[in-house]
Amino acid sequence: FPGARGALTKMCMDQGLFAPCFIVIFSTSAFTLNGGQPQNLMSHLKGIYFDILISNWKLWPAAQIINFYFIPLQHRLLVMNLVALMWNTYLAWKTNQTKPTIQ
């Protein structure tokens, strides 16, 4: 889809399909790598998933729209990488707020 409709469609697909799956994968990986036990995974995800998803929806749609409409093409990658750096810092902080229970 070309133009504004295409950008909006891509953003909606990204936020509706990719982001929810990515958050589960990232959170599960971080939990496991931090020594979390499989039996505690679901309670860990229930505790952080929706906070992260809502934060994702607050940041990324606005960042993508601003990037597509106001940032020159040659600077778009840099802008998205800076936003991603902030987002990944937030994800690391959020997933490590409570350490997994190791038994």
Side-chain angles (χ1 to χ4, degrees):
F1 304 115
R5 181 175 177 213
L8 187 60
T9 301
K10 290 175 190 175
M11 191 243 341
C12 288
M13 289 178 63
D14 177 55
Q15 294 304 307
L17 301 174
F18 176 73
C21 297
F22 173 77
I23 291 168
V24 170
I25 292 168
F26 181 88
S27 300
T28 300
S29 299
F31 179 81
T32 303
L33 291 171
N34 281 325
Q37 299 298 314
Q39 63 268 23
N40 300 330
L41 177 61
M42 289 307 292
S43 63
H44 175 73
L45 287 176
K46 287 178 185 177
I48 65 169
Y49 178 76
F50 287 106
D51 286 342
I52 294 174
L53 186 62
I54 297 300
S55 297
N56 175 78
W57 287 341
K58 289 178 182 177
L59 173 68
W60 283 107
Q64 290 173 337
I65 289 170
I66 289 168
N67 196 44
F68 285 131
Y69 285 106
F70 300 109
I71 306 299
L73 182 61
Q74 67 270 21
H75 300 300
R76 288 182 185 170
L77 181 60
L78 175 62
V79 169
M80 285 292 100
N81 282 335
L82 291 172
V83 174
L85 176 63
M86 292 183 293
W87 174 248
N88 290 330
T89 302
Y90 168 78
L91 278 181
W93 170 76
K94 189 68 176 175
T95 56
N96 286 291
Q97 273 187 322
T98 56
K99 292 293 181 190
T101 305
I102 299 175
Q103 297 176 358

